[in-house]
Structure formats: structure tokens, C-alpha cells
Amino acid sequence: CRASGDEKPAKFQPPPKPVIIDKQKQRAERRFLSPEFIPPRGRTDPLKYYMERKDMIQRRRVFNIPEFYVGSVLAVTTADPYANNKSNRFVGICIQRGGKGLGATFVLRNVIEDQGVEVCYELYSPRIQAIEVLKLEKRLDDNLMYLRDALPEYSTFDVNMKPVSHLDHEEIPVNKLQVRMKPKPWSKRWERPKYNIKGIKFELPEIKMKEAQKWSQPWLEFDMLREYDTSKIEEKIWKEVNEGLKK
Amino acid sequence: QGLLRRSVSHSFLSYASTTGACRAIQKLTRVRVVDNSALGNTPYHRPPKCIHVYNKTGVGKVGDTILLAIKGEKKKALIVGHKMPGPTMTPRFDSNNVVLIEDNGNPIGTRIKTPIPYILRQREGEFSKILAIARNFV
């Protein structure tokens, strides 16, 4: 404030208006468009994808498909005619999300009684009755297939685990866990640069790691024909999906 | 392991391999016996292997009977899970699981700890006794 010593009294300055940070508006800033909405690169008529998206939006209006990523723990209840109570609940970590459009799938993995089990579910299948996200988080990779060759403790999740609450405006936590593997041989040679896996703690000797780099293809990142810029497509589809869901 | 696999990976995201009949159970596949029978659990220097599949095609899926060679004897067994991905919504196990059976369909063991797929309930008539000793279902 002004030091008292001025001859003229200073003009009354109103105090600065308080800035209210509306957390709800911050939530709207984080957009998540499910990866199956983005059409693959190709020469098919966009009308086909438009019609599929209409059906996907229609299904989403009736049934809530939550936002989740590869590495989050989900619990899925499906309708099964052969299960008791006709419904079947499976808890697992999502290791892969594949497929585009209505055939989008995700694979959940869990270890039950020392037996690793994986189930591939279709997101838009009418047999799915509920999808709950028990733990929303991301991992360092897009594809956690290496969990099959990792120690079973990294794939075990309690079937009766309580959902971990996640506040809307916060960013999705990235779990930087480095997984320890079973001794080789593995189902795929995960140390090779083509898989580009960051989430494994390789305990292999240096010679093996150097030998794996022989299969690196450093020219691939500069290949312009492989680029697929989805930002504009995503904007359009985001608007379309939002309008469809609001109705 | 030990079965031929051709890997198709045109894009970096397709980690699936495509083959003919593989990762399901056929002749000479090593299997894992999951019930608590003495024959299945006593260690032997050779793993139990499939020598015949009672099927039109020689490929065994969940619910098929196979002939197993265990400890120098021939025994029938029922497949309760395999490493091959099946139809969507069905579980895929990390090992080829098998339950030892008599010729008339009665299981030899008394308990099955590993999870069994619900698909087996479809043929409740043939597998009722095996489903009765199973504890977990997937």
C-alpha cells in the first residue's frame, strides 16, 4: 500500500476481484475420446464410420461406458446363461484395447488361484451389463501383453477390491512401475526395440541388450507415409459425440 | 511351447500370432492336470502328453475328451482350458488345463482348485460330476 506522506490523498483503489477457479470447468478442459471412435487410415467411405458412430453413441446413451486406459483395473459383469444368477463378474487389469468401431474389444487379465486368466470383452456387446473402473490409471506402455511373461504378482488383483476414488479434475495418474520378468524364454522377445516397452526392468546382460538393438529400425520415426495426424478428425468426432450424448 | 508359430506383425500393435491348429490341444501337447488326483500330482520325469483327441479334427478345445499318457499309463481326460484364444467373452488360460477322467466320465480327483469356464455348464448332463467337484468358475 502507499506510504503515508503523499500530499494528495490517493484515489480509492478497490481491492482486486477474487479469481474463482471453477473445478467443474477445468474438468471440461480434459477431453477423452475413446480410441475406437477414431477411424483407421484407409480409403473406405466415411459414411460407414459415421453410421457406426451413430450406433455407438446410441449404445452409450443407454449404457455408460466409463473412461479407462490400458493399465486400469476394471470389473465387468456380463450376462451368462450358464452362470448361476445368470451374471458373471470378472475383475482384471486391462492389457490391450483393440478394434475400431462397434467391434472394439479390451482384454482383462487376472491371476486366480495361481492360474492366469485373460478374457477379451467387446465394449459394445449387449451381453455386458456393467463396467466399473476400480482403479483408473495409465501405465508406461500402450500394450501390457508382457505381463504374461512377468512374475504373477504383477497381474494379481483382488476380486473384491474396493474402487479407488478418482477426482474428476485431476490428471490420470501414470504408474511408472517397472515389472520384473520370469526367466527367458518369453512368448515374445520384449527387449527388442520394435515393441518399445518402457515398463520392464530388464535384468539381462548388456551383451543381450546390445544384440537386441541390432533389430532397431531408426528410419521408421522419419517415415512420412506412416504419419497419421488425427487431431482434426478427433475434433470433429468429439463434437459429434458430445452432441449425440447430450440429446 | 514346442508348437510352430508364425508371427504376423505388420503394425507394431498386433501382438497376435496367426497359425493353423495351435495353442489348442492336439497330439503331443504337454498338458497340466489340475485336479487333486494322485496320478496327476505325483512327479514323474516326463510331463503328461496328449496322444489322441476324440474329435473329428485332431484339435481339442474346452469340453473335448483326449487320451493322455501319464506315468507310462493311458488315461482319458477332459480339457478345461487352453492357451488358445477362443470366442470373445470366454476366458483364455495361461496353461493347457486338463481333468483326469475314467472311461465312463467320472472324474478321478475330488477337488479342482483352478477356475473352470462357465461354458462347460452347457453340457451339464455329461459333465455334472466334474462341475460338482469344481470350486471356482470364470
Side-chain angles (χ1 to χ4, degrees):
Chain A
C1 54
R2 290 274 171 92
S4 55
D6 278 332
E7 289 173 351
K8 297 176 209 166
K11 253 185 130 175
F12 171 66
Q13 299 275 356
K17 282 196 180 154
V19 179
I20 305 167
I21 306 171
D22 192 7
K23 297 244 165 108
Q24 306 228 324
K25 275 195 190 151
Q26 271 190 354
R27 187 212 304 175
E29 283 171 16
R30 179 162 67 91
R31 304 165 157 200
F32 172 70
L33 185 64
S34 223
E36 69 266 6
F37 278 106
I38 303 162
R41 198 167 66 145
R43 284 176 57 187
T44 20
D45 200 339
L47 177 67
K48 173 200 172 199
Y49 300 121
Y50 174 70
M51 283 163 55
E52 253 192 328
R53 256 176 279 141
K54 265 181 38 176
D55 286 334
M56 283 151 77
I57 294 169
Q58 176 63 39
R59 173 71 181 157
R60 278 189 184 236
R61 260 186 254 161
V62 179
F63 172 72
N64 170 43
I65 297 175
E67 163 192 356
F68 66 97
Y69 302 88
V70 170
S72 11
V73 183
L74 307 183
V76 176
T77 8
T78 46
D80 201 336
Y82 308 115
N84 43 345
N85 288 342
K86 304 291 175 196
S87 64
N88 179 8
R89 183 171 195 255
F90 186 74
V91 174
I93 183 171
C94 177
I95 50 177
Q96 176 183 272
R97 281 186 85 160
K100 298 282 177 200
L102 285 168
T105 53
F106 62 101
V107 182
L108 293 185
R109 177 180 167 86
N110 200 347
V111 172
I112 311 174
E113 298 271 352
D114 298 328
Q115 170 72 61
V117 187
E118 292 175 10
V119 192
C120 176
Y121 290 106
E122 284 171 343
L123 271 177
Y124 295 96
S125 166
R127 270 175 68 182
I128 296 187
Q129 288 165 342
I131 304 180
E132 305 154 28
V133 175
L134 297 176
K135 198 174 186 192
L136 180 66
E137 63 176 12
K138 272 193 198 178
R139 291 277 201 123
L140 292 169
D141 309 298
D142 251 346
N143 206 301
L144 298 177
M145 283 293 177
Y146 55 81
L147 286 181
R148 290 179 190 168
D149 299 315
L151 297 173
E153 63 199 31
Y154 296 102
S155 315
T156 20
F157 294 93
D158 184 23
V159 184
N160 304 317
M161 113 183 214
K162 301 283 172 175
V164 170
S165 65
H166 173 256
L167 299 163
D168 267 338
H169 61 271
E170 280 177 2
E171 287 204 15
I172 327 121
V174 178
N175 190 354
K176 302 206 173 158
L177 178 65
Q178 298 252 299
V179 155
R180 291 185 56 208
M181 306 290 277
K182 289 193 229 173
K184 270 201 154 196
W186 298 330
S187 59
K188 291 263 180 317
R189 294 174 218 241
W190 303 113
E191 73 275 8
R192 295 219 172 152
K194 116 173 170 193
Y195 297 111
N196 194 17
I197 292 187
K198 298 174 191 125
I200 299 185
K201 188 170 182 185
F202 291 109
E203 278 153 10
L204 299 169
E206 278 296 320
I207 317 163
K208 297 276 179 185
M209 298 302 291
K210 274 197 183 161
E211 207 192 308
Q213 291 301 318
K214 270 202 300 193
W215 279 268
S216 69
Q217 295 169 312
W219 56 86
L220 275 184
E221 61 172 310
F222 303 110
D223 194 341
M224 292 179 72
L225 285 184
R226 279 174 198 262
E227 287 169 3
Y228 183 34
D229 186 24
T230 51
S231 42
K232 290 180 193 159
I233 307 173
E234 270 190 41
E235 286 285 330
K236 280 190 220 159
I237 298 179
W238 171 256
K239 279 185 212 159
E240 208 185 300
V241 169
N242 265 15
E243 276 162 42
L245 286 175
K246 270 178 206 163
K247 281 184 204 160
Chain B
Q1 277 195 3
L3 293 171
L4 292 169
R5 259 193 275 159
R6 285 189 321 257
S7 288
V8 172
S9 34
H10 296 303
S11 82
F12 301 134
L13 295 172
S14 66
Y15 293 101
S17 30
T18 54
T19 351
C22 93
R23 290 196 275 155
I25 306 194
Q26 56 185 26
K27 288 194 186 184
L28 295 189
T29 19
R30 286 163 287 186
V31 290
R32 178 188 160 203
V33 176
V34 291
D35 55 9
N36 64 345
S37 54
L39 199 55
N41 291 40
T42 37
Y44 192 61
H45 56 86
R46 304 185 70 183
K49 272 195 192 158
C50 167
I51 46 184
H52 188 262
V53 182
Y54 292 102
N55 211 341
K56 284 282 163 68
T57 74
V59 179
K61 302 281 170 85
V62 175
D64 289 336
T65 6
I66 58 173
L67 230 204
L68 226 51
I70 304 183
K71 296 186 77 177
E73 307 169 8
K74 291 185 281 195
K75 241 344 186 242
K76 279 203 186 174
L78 175 79
I79 304 176
V80 288
H82 47 68
K83 279 174 116 174
M84 172 151 178
T88 46
M89 310 283 195
T90 50
R92 185 204 86 106
F93 296 86
D94 273 1
S95 61
N96 299 317
N97 298 339
V98 121
V99 170
L100 293 179
I101 240 182
E102 294 279 353
D103 283 336
N104 49 15
N106 296 349
I108 299 179
T110 49
R111 260 189 282 255
I112 304 177
K113 249 176 67 176
T114 42
I116 306 276
Y118 275 115
I119 303 287
L120 288 181
R121 277 247 157 98
Q122 192 177 18
R123 289 192 266 170
E124 189 98 48
E126 301 164 46
F127 304 142
S128 55
K129 293 182 191 138
I130 299 147
L131 294 166
I133 60 175
R135 292 248 226 102
N136 302 336
F137 282 92
V138 160

